Amino acid sequence: MDRTSGLRPGTLAVWAGEDHGLGNATQVPVVHSVAFGYDDVDEWIDVSLGRAPGHIYGRNTNPTVAAFEDKVRILEGAEAATSAATGMGIISSALFGLLAPGDRVVSLKDTYGGTNRLFSEFLPRFGIDVTLCDTTDHEAIEAEVAKGCRVLYLETPTNPTVKIVDIARLSRAAHAAGATVLVDNTFATPINQNPLALGADLVLHSATKFLGGHADALGGVACGSKELVQAVYHFREINGASLHPMAAYLLLRGMKTLALRIERQNANALKIARFLESHPGVSRVFYPGLESHEGHAIAAKQMRGFGGMLSFMLAENTFDAVRRFLPRLTLAHTAANLGAVETIAGPPATTSHVECTPEERAAMGIPESLIRYSTGIEDADDLIVDLDQALRG
Ligand SMILES: *Cc1c(COP(=O)(O)O)cnc(C)c1O
């Protein structure tokens, strides 16, 4: 029985992927078995070759992991999904699964630090040419794409200055050039944005962040057509970065409250962004829900909510100001993570862009006093009181 057709995201987050076929437990069981046995050799062969449903070996597939993939797949409106042990596991599997020497990738200067490392260090080693464009310069991206490329890789909103790129517009340009469009949808989540519906071909998530939402499990997932997902899965099955069944269970459980959490985080982040915008201790606020944000119009067109992530510059633009400010926050983990139920704050130098040198960060337009703020599900008024006392010092 498919009980998910025609349902809305808040209902899908709860019910999608839950028909596990593993007995009548109401919760998806955690199947720890590494291997799955077959008395009938012909059935074993059919499952091995993908001619019949079933599982063979845990590095390839697992029933708990499959339930998690299915939940995200349905929320993203995709034909197929596959997963990996981490967000970087799925991003690197997607790139290595789809690219070959001589191929060209066009992407943005503002992608996640680890992704940027793949583009600057690893892909070029294998003869793959990478061109990184100014993130919000749509004309420049279109011009690079028109020169020919195999993959256009996008991320929106970006980390940490929450820049916005127009997925529909750039997907049209990429398809005209015969390219495949990949979008990292980690910051938006499928509750706020569905890249496939906007024209992208493959959507990627670090499930570690908002999908799981409780900062207790790492994971990554990719959704798209059967053909593209198969190419990603094929590399992942061989590189071996498989999602652990226990992590899949934690992510599945976390995702049941995804819509509730995201609605709250959208509302909290907007309220906090407006408060910070008028605070004398803050010189600049980056949040796509603010009319002052350069990507606001595109965000309003392609997102249903503006997300829980914002960043801001302290009035004193030095790293010393960051050193003084962060320990004064009482309602925030100061940690290298985001997307959890608790608020998390940190500077890009220790979080998203730890892989980059100070010079590279400066070239990316990341100011010294930038604070990345991942709004949790707390009461926004308590978070505002906490930010206010920390800013006043
Ligand atoms: C964290 C993150 C990643 C990497 O995910 P991991 O699960 O840490 O490997 C990729 N993209 C974005 C936007 C992220 O925030």
Side-chain angles (χ1 to χ4, degrees):
M1 178 188 68
D2 178 9
R3 54 177 148 198
T4 60
S5 66
L7 299 177
R8 291 163 185 80
T11 313
L12 291 178
V14 177
W15 287 102
E18 298 282 321
D19 292 327
H20 50 77
L22 294 166
N24 61 356
T26 63
Q27 303 307 306
V28 178
V30 187
V31 179
H32 283 288
S33 183
V34 163
F36 300 82
Y38 293 89
D39 294 332
D40 180 335
V41 175
D42 290 319
E43 187 194 354
W44 189 359
I45 290 171
D46 282 346
V47 175
S48 301
L49 296 178
R51 291 196 297 238
H55 303 279
I56 296 288
Y57 183 62
R59 173 156 49 73
N60 302 354
T61 65
N62 166 283
T64 314
V65 171
F68 162 72
E69 291 166 348
D70 222 34
K71 197 185 274 294
V72 185
R73 176 187 72 74
I74 293 168
L75 278 165
E76 286 291 11
E79 194 183 15
T82 189
S83 61
T86 64
M88 284 315 302
I90 204 69
I91 292 168
S92 55
S93 296
L95 292 169
F96 282 99
L98 296 175
L99 294 164
D103 281 345
R104 179 162 181 265
V105 178
V106 173
S107 188
L108 316 171
K109 286 189 179 155
D110 287 61
T111 53
Y112 177 73
T115 310
N116 190 268
R117 210 18 83 199
L118 285 173
F119 290 149
S120 60
E121 184 177 344
F122 293 100
L123 293 182
R125 268 198 215 169
F126 297 93
I128 294 158
D129 179 41
V130 182
T131 302
L132 302 182
C133 303
D134 280 338
T135 298
T136 56
D137 189 343
H138 287 73
E139 284 81 15
I141 299 166
E142 283 168 335
E144 285 299 336
V145 164
K147 290 181 196 164
C149 65
R150 171 78 184 83
V151 161
L152 171 65
Y153 186 101
L154 305 176
E155 187 178 317
T156 182
T158 64
N159 199 344
T161 49
V162 282
K163 290 179 185 158
I164 302 292
V165 296
D166 189 327
I167 297 172
R169 173 175 169 182
L170 295 176
S171 295
R172 277 194 300 276
H175 292 153
T180 300
V181 181
L182 276 55
V183 178
D184 182 335
N185 202 30
T186 301
F187 269 35
T189 81
I191 302 302
N192 284 331
Q193 175 172 280
N194 289 122
L196 301 178
L198 295 164
D201 302 298
L202 192 73
V203 53
L204 305 160
H205 284 278
S206 168
T208 314
K209 314 292 172 53
F210 290 99
L211 293 188
H214 293 71
D216 56 3
L218 293 155
V221 58
C223 310
S225 68
K226 271 193 183 134
E227 190 191 347
L228 279 178
V229 166
Q230 176 59 30
V232 179
Y233 164 75
H234 184 52
F235 185 80
R236 202 293 328 274
E237 109 182 85
I238 302 306
N239 85 8
S242 311
L243 182 63
H244 192 282
M246 190 63 213
Y249 174 82
L250 291 168
L251 297 170
L252 264 173
R253 185 169 68 167
M255 281 188 70
K256 290 191 187 180
T257 56
L258 181 67
L260 269 183
R261 286 187 280 111
I262 298 302
E263 278 167 29
R264 176 68 166 236
Q265 284 165 312
N266 286 343
N268 278 1
L270 185 60
K271 193 165 184 185
I272 288 166
R274 290 204 200 287
F275 162 77
L276 291 172
E277 217 177 18
S278 63
H279 200 287
V282 172
S283 61
R284 209 167 155 197
V285 183
F286 302 90
Y287 185 64
L290 294 176
E291 293 74 14
S292 61
H293 189 279
E294 67 161 333
H296 178 69
I298 303 169
K301 190 180 66 172
Q302 71 186 10
M303 302 178 80
R304 289 181 288 269
F306 299 106
M309 295 302 301
L310 59 102
S311 58
F312 55 95
M313 275 177 77
L314 301 175
E316 181 193 323
N317 188 23
T318 65
F319 201 72
D320 262 346
V322 173
R323 274 195 191 93
R324 291 194 305 271
F325 169 77
L326 281 176
R328 287 199 293 257
L329 286 174
T330 60
L331 292 177
H333 287 306
T334 42
N337 191 19
L338 61 94
V341 289
E342 304 98 352
T343 292
I344 306 168
T350 61
T351 57
S352 58
H353 288 68
V354 66
E355 291 92 348
C356 306
T357 64
E359 294 72 31
E360 283 170 331
R361 281 193 292 274
M364 289 172 171
I366 298 173
E368 279 296 283
S369 73
L370 194 74
I371 303 291
R372 192 179 74 178
Y373 195 82
S374 168
T375 314
I377 62 166
E378 303 92 334
D379 191 307
D381 291 332
D382 288 332
L383 296 176
I384 285 172
V385 168
D386 189 40
L387 281 161
D388 187 47
Q389 63 76 25
L391 285 166
R392 284 175 199 280

